[in-house]
Every structure is written in C-alpha cells, then in structure tokens.
Amino acid sequence: MDFDRQVAIVTGGSRGIGKTVAALLVQRGASVVLVGRGRDALERTANGLRAEYGDRVAIVAGDVADDATARNAVETARQWFGGLDIVANIAGAFPTVRVEDMTNAQFAETIAANLSGTFVMCRAALPVLRARGGGAIVNMSSTAARVPTPGLAVFGASKAGVEGFTPAPAQGAAPLQ
C-alpha cells in the first residue's frame, strides 16, 4: 500500500505494534504523529525514523485518554503536515493480573489506555477527518476480547469495548433515531 502524502496519528507509537505501524506508514510515504506517554522513547523512535526517511515524524507526549493530548495530536498533524487522514489507536495497557488481585488503579489504567483512549482520540480526530472528506481509523483489539485469557480479564473486557465502539464513528453521520 502507498501512503504518499497521507498524514497519520499513531498512538503507542514508541514501541511494540505502534512503533512497527508507524515505521511502515513512514516507509510507505506517510507523515506520522507519534503519541505516547514517554517523551524519551518517542524521541528515540522519531529520531530513528527521521534519520532514515526525513522530517516526516512529529511527537506528542501525553496520556491518550486525556482530551488535551488528543487535541494536541490532531493539531500537530494539521500544523506540521497539513491535515489528517489516518488514526491508528494502538496504545494499550495489559497488566497480567488475576481479577481478585487487581487494584482499582490497575483497572482504571487499563480501561483508560485501551477504551477511553480510543474514544478520546476518535472524538478529537473525527471532525478533521470528516472536513477533509473522510479517512481511516484503525482501533487495535485483541483475541482476548473474545477468548478468555488467564490474567487478562480486564484487558479483554476493555478490548471488547473497543470492538463494540469501533463501528459507531463510521455511523456518526447518520441521523439520530
């Protein structure tokens, strides 16, 4: 696939699947805004991509479930690269903890990173995507959403929420019933 002159936001872009997705997009011509919590890791990833592919990578450090981070990512895409065409919601948290051992903080962090972050980023990006005439949103899920996995009950539940939410933005232009 060719992504020449496309602009993408990739959450979780400093490591794992997000880093791989960002690298593939840049290799195939896209400009990418990497979003994640760790500024140092984002800088290392961005600098590596810039060294090989030029200045088509920007970063936004922050929590994907935070409205300000999402708005900043969308605005960075617009200011640095002229718009937004693709959002890849890859960021996630997956503590391997039995339900009875999970703390409220771990539960909240997992839901925030996986489900709330997807919602918040979609909400921030949709008006820009629609104004540009469309685009693509890719929300990362997991088989754990459908197949119980020891230690990943809350992760699976959050990803099931992502799967339930994902069709909604595409239907957002339809009249409300």
Side-chain angles (χ1 to χ4, degrees):
M1 294 183 78
D2 179 20
F3 294 100
D4 193 38
R5 292 187 298 268
Q6 299 278 308
V7 179
I9 292 173
V10 178
T11 70
S14 65
R15 60 189 178 127
I17 295 169
K19 182 177 180 177
T20 300
V21 167
L24 288 170
L25 286 166
V26 172
Q27 288 168 7
R28 294 180 180 170
S31 296
V32 176
V33 178
L34 303 173
V35 182
R37 287 189 204 172
R39 179 170 293 284
D40 291 343
L42 288 169
E43 286 287 357
R44 281 191 301 276
T45 299
N47 289 337
L49 291 170
R50 288 177 187 133
E52 193 164 350
Y53 300 103
D55 198 24
R56 291 186 285 126
V57 181
I59 67 166
V60 171
D63 186 336
V64 295
D66 180 61
D67 287 322
T69 299
R71 285 191 307 268
N72 189 10
V74 171
E75 193 56 31
T76 298
R78 291 174 67 188
Q79 288 182 359
W80 281 49
F81 305 121
L84 181 61
D85 303 290
I86 302 163
V87 176
N89 286 307
I90 310 295
F94 45 93
T96 305
V97 180
R98 294 185 311 184
V99 171
E100 63 269 27
D101 297 328
M102 181 171 266
T103 66
N104 288 349
Q106 288 171 312
F107 176 87
E109 179 183 330
T110 303
I111 297 298
N114 298 331
L115 182 55
S116 300
T118 297
F119 162 73
V120 168
M121 191 60 68
C122 286
R123 183 178 59 194
L126 280 166
V128 175
L129 292 171
R130 286 196 176 115
R132 197 163 164 109
I137 297 176
V138 178
N139 295 329
M140 182 63 68
S141 185
S142 169
T143 57
R146 297 172 303 288
V147 179
T149 306
L152 295 177
V154 175
F155 172 76
S158 69
K159 290 302 186 174
V162 168
E163 290 183 6
F165 169 75
T166 293
Q171 298 167 349
L176 296 176
Q177 300 290 329

